[in-house]
Amino acid sequence: MSEHEGAMVPNAGAGSVIATRKGMWGVKDTGDTTGFTGNEEVAVIAPPSSRPYGGWFDEVVDIIIELAQADGLTERDVIEKISVDRGQLVIFIKRERLPLVARYLRDDQDLRFEMCLGVSAVHYPMDKGRELHAYFPFFSITHNRMIALEVTCPDDDPHMPSICSVYPGDDWSEREAFDLMGIIFDGHPGLTRSAMPDDWVGHPQRKDYPLGGIPVEYKGAVIPPPDTRREYN
């Protein structure tokens, strides 16, 4: 592939605030002895970036779009938005197109992202309809480059395709994301729990998972859940 035409990526909307927090641990008065009473934090999903993205980023995006068009797809069929934040290119992909784009990254001679470095899952309860995010970093040994794909799915339909058929090394990472966050990777060769017992109920790293509540006995004493051991308010 010698030349790649530029294309406009669809605007997926501005960055959205998904959470705000003041202080620590829900403290509302002066009972906080941590010194974090005045702490204010706002979590924002990065907004889409505009061209030029800079450096080789535009070339990579153009190649992906051109390959999609060769498969009879438009950029809107594949890409939700593109974000360049802190010098990193993150391409938000529609979940049903994840294996297709993964193959593009692996096989195209001008991309050659030989390695997928696993998947990290994040739960954003306030990002309605897109509560579960999966973040896939890729590394090109040939070109010494890194990019990431990000895919989202809702709490009430926590499914996305596995990319183990393209990057077999993602097997364990997808199992961990399923075990601890509850994302179901369709097509995974053996999607079982990796850390928790097989009969465990729930996914412990989700933000809606109960804090504590598991009875623990120590020398005959029952330890209460962490959220009831100490009360500030």
Side-chain angles (χ1 to χ4, degrees), residues 10 27 35 50 53 75 115 127 149:
V27 177
S50 301
Y53 304 124
E75 63 266 33
M115 297 178 63
D127 193 11
L149 301 182

Side-chain angles (χ1 to χ4, degrees), residues 146-161:
M146 285 197 68
I147 67 167
L149 301 182
E150 190 157 339
V151 182
T152 69
C153 59
D155 273 341
D156 57 5
D157 183 24
H159 290 260
M160 65 180 61

Side-chain angles (χ1 to χ4, degrees), residues 2-134:
S2 57
E3 295 186 7
H4 302 278
E5 297 180 359
M8 294 298 294
V9 176
N11 188 343
S16 56
V17 175
I18 59 170
T20 58
R21 183 173 67 182
K22 294 184 178 181
M24 294 288 281
W25 302 307
V27 177
K28 303 180 183 66
D29 55 26
T30 58
D32 185 2
T33 59
T34 66
F36 288 104
T37 306
N39 183 64
E40 295 188 10
E41 183 179 358
V42 179
V44 180
I45 296 292
S49 299
S50 301
R51 288 180 182 269
Y53 304 124
W56 49 268
F57 292 173
D58 293 85
E59 177 190 1
V60 167
V61 172
D62 290 342
I63 294 171
I64 292 173
I65 293 173
E66 185 175 329
L67 291 169
Q69 291 172 341
D71 285 333
L73 303 169
T74 68
E75 63 266 33
R76 292 182 181 275
D77 295 328
V78 177
I79 297 175
E80 289 187 350
K81 72 174 181 180
I82 292 172
S83 174
V84 178
D85 187 26
R86 297 173 178 88
Q88 183 178 28
L89 174 65
V90 182
I91 306 175
F92 286 71
I93 299 294
K94 293 192 174 182
R95 57 175 167 169
E96 66 272 17
R97 306 300 183 188
L98 176 59
L100 179 67
V101 176
R103 284 195 294 272
Y104 295 163
L105 295 183
R106 184 193 66 182
D107 296 342
D108 184 80
Q109 64 182 4
D110 294 327
L111 296 177
R112 299 298 294 166
F113 286 91
E114 297 94 345
M115 297 178 63
C116 177
L117 306 178
V119 55
S120 298
V122 186
H123 185 215
Y124 295 111
M126 302 301 292
D127 193 11
K128 298 303 181 184
R130 301 161 55 88
E131 291 88 354
L132 293 167
H133 289 229

Side-chain angles (χ1 to χ4, degrees), residues 189-201:
L191 195 63
T192 57
R193 290 191 181 271
S194 62
M196 308 304 293
D198 290 338
D199 60 352
W200 194 265
V201 177

